[in-house]
Amino acid sequence: MATLDDVIQRVGVCGPFQKFLVLAVESTVIVSVWGMMFMAFGSYNPGWICLDEAMSSNNNSSSRNVSDSDNIEDRCSVYSTCNNVSFLPGTSTVVTEWGLVCDQVWPLDVIFTVQMVGVMLGAYLIGHLGDCVGRRASLYGMVALHSVTNLLVVFSPTWEVFAAVRFFIGVAVGGILTTGPIFPLEFTSEFWRGVLGTLPIWSIGSASFSIAVTLLKDWRNVHILSAVVSFLVFLPVFWVPESFRWLAVNGRDVQAGAVATKMARMNKRPLPSLELVASMAESERRRAEVEHSTRYSYLDLFRDTLVRKPTIFMGFVWFFMAIIYFGISFNVTALSGDFYINFLILSVMELPTILFSLPTMSFLTRRWGSVLHLFVVSIACFGVAIVTLTLGGDPNNQDNETENDMKGKVILGLAVVAKIGIICAWNVVLIFCVELFPTAVRNLAFGYCNTLTRIGGLIGPVLFPKNPALLYVAMLWLGVITMLCDILVLLLPETKGAPLEDMLRSKNFLDKNHDKPSLEDVGTERHDSLGLLEVDERERVVA
C-alpha cells in the first residue's frame, strides 16, 4: 500500500524545493543560536579605570587602570570607593552598561538563568503549538517574536528590564530550536533525513555570531543586527508551505495536495493526483490511529526494565555534556588573552568537528567512539587545570607578561580541544541514543534528554569562577564529570550493527500493562474494517 513517503518520492526528495526549504528554515536556527549565545558576549568585562585622581589633579595621565594592574581583591576594593569609574573604550556590553562588576556581578547569572528558563518554556510550548496550529505558523511566530524582542531589548533602562526581555528572547530561541531542525525532515526521504541531521547548523550559527560580535563590539548593535537578520529570515514565510505530513494527518487533504503539487513543479516532476494524495492521507490517518492505540508516557521510560538503564544513564550523559559545552562557551572571559580572538577561535573551530566524529562512527563501536572523544575532553580539562597551577605566570600580575602569554596560549589551545571533543562526542552519542531506544518511546527519550540538556546549560556557565586564577577548579570538575560520562557510556549495551527496536518488549512492562491492547491486537481486530492495515512479525504496521 502506498504511503505519504511514496508521494514525496514521486514529487522529489532532494530537488530545488527541498534545497530552498532547508536554506530558508535552517537559517532560522542559525539566528536562534545568536539569541542563545548572546550572554557569552554580554557578560564580557573589558576593564575599567578609576578617574578620581585624574579629576582631582586635572591630569588624565594619573588615572589608575586598576582593572588591569591589580589583583581582583584590590580591584574590587578600589571600585567600591571610586566615585568616577570609566570602562575602557571600544566595547559596550551588559557589564559596562550597568556596571555589573565586583559585588554587582551576580545579575549576570540571573539574566542567563532567566533566559534559559525561557528557552525551556519555549521548547515546551512549541511542542503543543506545532501539533495544534502547524509547524509553519509556530516556527515563524517564534522567529517574529525573536525579531521584535531583539529590537525592544535595546531600549532597556535597567538590567531588570533587560532580563525580562531576554526571557522572551529565550522563549523564541527554545521554540525555534525545537521546530526548525525537524521541519525540513518532513519533506524528504529517510536517507536525506540522515544527511540533514549531520549538517553543522549550530556550529555555523555560533561561528557567524562570533564574527558579528568581533566586528560590532556593542551589545545594542548586536541586538539590532539580530533583529534585522531575524526579520530577513522571517520573509520566506510567504513561500514556505505548511508541513505536508501535518496537513495530511490533520485531514487537510486539499492543502496537502497543493503542497505536493508545489513540490512537483519546483522539482520538475510529474504532478501527483490529488485523489491519490487524499487516499494516502486517509490511509496515514488510519495508520496513525492504530499505532497510537497504545500510548506511552515518560513514566514508561523508567517502568520498562529494558530502557530504564539507558534512560537514566543517557540522561546523565546529556546533562553532563551540556555542563561542559555551555560552561566553556559562556566563560571565554575566564581565558587569558584577547576576548574576541578567543571567542572567534572557540566558535569557528566547531565547524570541522564532523570530520573527526564521522571516522569514529564508521570504524569504532558507539560506546568506544563516544568514550574516545570524551577521554580527549577529560585530558584537555585536566591539562588546563595543571597548566593553571604549574606553568607560572599569575593572570592577575602583568609583570610576568611572557609567562602569562605562554600560559594563555596553552590554555586556549586545550580549551579548543575540549570544545571540539565534546561536540564530536555529542555527534556519536546522538546516534547512540537513537539506536538505544525503541521507536515507540524514542521521541519521549529525546524530550527527556533535551530537558536535562537545558538544565545542564543553566548550571555550566555558573560553575566557572569569575576570578581567572581559579579557572583550574572548574576545569578539574569538568574533567571529573567527563570521566563519569565515560563510565556511564561503557555500562550501556552496544548498538552498532543491531536492528532498531520498534516496540517495548520487556516482560516486566508487558506484565504490568497486560490490560493495555497491543498494536498487534488492535491491528488484527481492525484489519477487516479498515481493509488497509496489517502487522508484521516485528509488530510494525505494514501495507
Side-chain angles (χ1 to χ4, degrees):
M1 180 184 65
T3 65
L4 294 180
D5 278 331
D6 296 314
V7 176
I8 293 177
Q9 288 285 350
R10 295 182 185 184
V11 299
V13 297
C14 187
F17 174 87
Q18 282 82 4
K19 294 174 182 177
F20 190 83
L21 180 72
V22 169
L23 178 63
V25 174
E26 297 293 4
S27 62
T28 67
V29 178
I30 291 174
V31 78
S32 72
V33 177
W34 289 32
M36 175 72 86
M37 300 298 296
F38 174 81
M39 284 306 295
F41 162 68
S43 60
Y44 170 49
N45 178 6
W48 52 272
I49 57 176
C50 180
L51 298 177
D52 284 357
E53 294 182 13
M55 295 186 66
S56 63
S57 63
N58 196 26
N59 184 356
N60 290 334
S61 63
S62 64
S63 61
R64 300 177 60 200
N65 188 356
V66 294
S67 179
D68 289 333
S69 60
D70 302 335
N71 62 44
I72 191 168
E73 291 80 9
D74 291 339
R75 291 202 301 265
C76 289
S77 176
V78 173
Y79 183 84
S80 63
T81 59
C82 184
N83 296 318
N84 297 282
V85 173
S86 176
F87 285 92
L88 300 181
T91 294
S92 176
T93 67
V94 177
V95 172
T96 65
E97 184 69 21
W98 291 292
L100 305 182
V101 297
C102 294
D103 60 338
Q104 293 299 313
V105 74
W106 60 269
L108 295 175
D109 292 335
V110 174
I111 294 170
F112 178 76
T113 301
V114 168
Q115 171 190 307
M116 293 302 291
V117 170
V119 172
M120 288 190 287
L121 179 61
Y124 174 79
L125 290 177
I126 205 68
H128 293 279
L129 286 175
D131 290 336
C132 296
V133 303
R135 314 287 195 256
R136 174 176 171 269
S138 57
L139 172 64
Y140 281 97
M142 289 297 177
V143 174
L145 177 64
H146 192 266
S147 180
V148 172
T149 50
N150 268 281
L151 187 60
L152 291 177
V153 77
V154 172
F155 304 100
S156 301
T158 64
W159 72 261
E160 291 89 349
V161 175
F162 178 83
V165 181
R166 288 298 306 176
F167 170 80
F168 291 100
I169 292 177
V171 171
V173 169
I176 295 171
L177 289 178
T178 301
T179 304
I182 66 173
F183 190 16
L185 304 183
E186 299 187 347
F187 290 89
T188 188
S189 64
E190 180 180 357
F191 171 79
W192 288 107
R193 287 196 288 270
V195 173
L196 290 177
T198 63
L199 295 179
I201 303 301
W202 178 280
S203 299
I204 294 174
S206 180
S208 59
F209 177 69
S210 67
I211 294 173
V213 164
T214 302
L215 294 176
L216 298 176
K217 300 180 180 180
D218 186 291
W219 73 272
R220 283 190 170 89
N221 290 338
V222 171
H223 273 300
I224 292 174
L225 180 60
S226 297
V228 172
V229 175
S230 297
F231 174 75
L232 293 178
V233 301
F234 174 81
L235 294 179
V237 68
F238 300 105
W239 175 86
V240 173
E242 181 55 83
S243 166
F244 172 71
R245 295 176 185 275
W246 184 87
L247 291 171
V249 171
N250 284 274
R252 303 185 183 184
D253 299 344
V254 175
Q255 293 172 274
V259 173
T261 300
K262 182 176 184 177
M263 295 169 63
R265 285 175 177 169
M266 285 197 66
N267 293 337
K268 298 181 179 180
R269 301 292 291 269
L271 298 182
S273 167
L274 297 184
E275 291 78 10
L276 178 62
V277 173
S279 174
M280 293 180 180
E282 176 63 22
S283 172
E284 196 72 17
R285 287 192 290 273
R286 294 181 177 180
R287 181 189 298 267
E289 182 181 353
V290 172
E291 291 182 340
H292 291 153
S293 60
T294 300
R295 295 186 178 275
Y296 299 99
S297 69
Y298 286 105
L299 291 178
D300 293 325
L301 294 174
F302 299 93
R303 182 184 298 124
D304 180 67
T305 56
L306 293 183
V307 299
R308 183 186 301 135
K309 185 170 79 171
T311 297
I312 296 173
F313 288 6
M314 266 299 176
F316 276 113
V317 169
W318 283 53
F319 171 72
F320 290 144
M321 290 198 302
I323 290 177
I324 298 167
Y325 177 83
F326 287 104
I328 296 174
S329 298
F330 279 86
N331 286 280
V332 183
T333 54
L335 303 176
S336 61
D338 184 83
F339 166 83
Y340 296 103
I341 293 178
N342 293 346
F343 193 29
L344 192 63
I345 292 175
L346 283 172
S347 300
V348 172
M349 288 304 294
E350 291 186 22
L351 292 173
T353 52
I354 192 66
L355 300 178
F356 299 102
S357 54
L358 277 178
T360 55
M361 285 190 284
S362 300
F363 300 107
L364 295 178
T365 63
R366 301 292 183 243
R367 292 193 305 167
W368 287 106
S370 303
V371 167
L372 175 62
H373 292 304
L374 289 170
F375 181 73
V376 171
V377 175
S378 64
I379 293 299
C381 291
F382 287 133
V384 171
I386 294 173
V387 169
T388 303
L389 291 172
T390 63
L391 192 58
D394 183 357
N396 292 317
N397 187 352
Q398 297 299 311
D399 294 333
N400 300 320
E401 292 186 5
T402 302
E403 292 86 347
N404 284 336
D405 184 61
M406 179 190 305
K407 183 177 182 178
K409 290 179 180 178
V410 174
I411 291 176
L412 176 61
L414 291 172
V416 170
V417 171
K419 195 171 184 184
I420 291 176
I422 199 63
I423 297 175
C424 290
W426 219 320
N427 289 335
V428 181
V429 167
L430 184 65
I431 303 299
F432 196 7
C433 194
V434 170
E435 297 171 346
L436 271 175
F437 293 95
T439 303
V441 294
R442 190 171 295 132
N443 284 343
L444 289 174
F446 268 85
Y448 158 79
C449 290
N450 274 312
T451 300
L452 292 177
T453 299
R454 304 305 180 198
I455 298 174
L458 275 170
I459 297 175
V462 181
L463 183 65
F464 273 67
K466 303 304 179 184
N467 187 351
L470 299 177
L471 176 64
Y472 73 93
V473 177
M475 299 309 289
L476 281 175
W477 273 109
L478 295 188
V480 172
I481 288 173
T482 311
M483 295 299 292
L484 181 58
C485 287
D486 280 327
I487 296 173
L488 292 175
V489 169
L490 287 175
L491 292 175
L492 291 170
E494 182 54 56
T495 61
K496 185 177 182 180
L500 292 181
E501 291 289 343
D502 292 311
M503 304 299 295
L504 291 172
R505 294 176 173 272
S506 169
K507 182 179 184 299
N508 179 62
F509 178 83
L510 294 176
D511 289 343
K512 291 184 178 180
N513 295 273
H514 63 277
D515 56 331
K516 187 181 294 185
S518 68
L519 185 61
E520 184 175 5
D521 294 336
V522 174
T524 302
E525 292 173 2
R526 299 195 53 158
H527 186 279
D528 294 336
S529 62
L530 293 178
L532 293 169
L533 303 172
E534 61 183 59
V535 180
D536 65 9
E537 68 278 2
R538 295 187 62 193
E539 300 178 295
R540 294 178 299 186
V541 178
V542 297

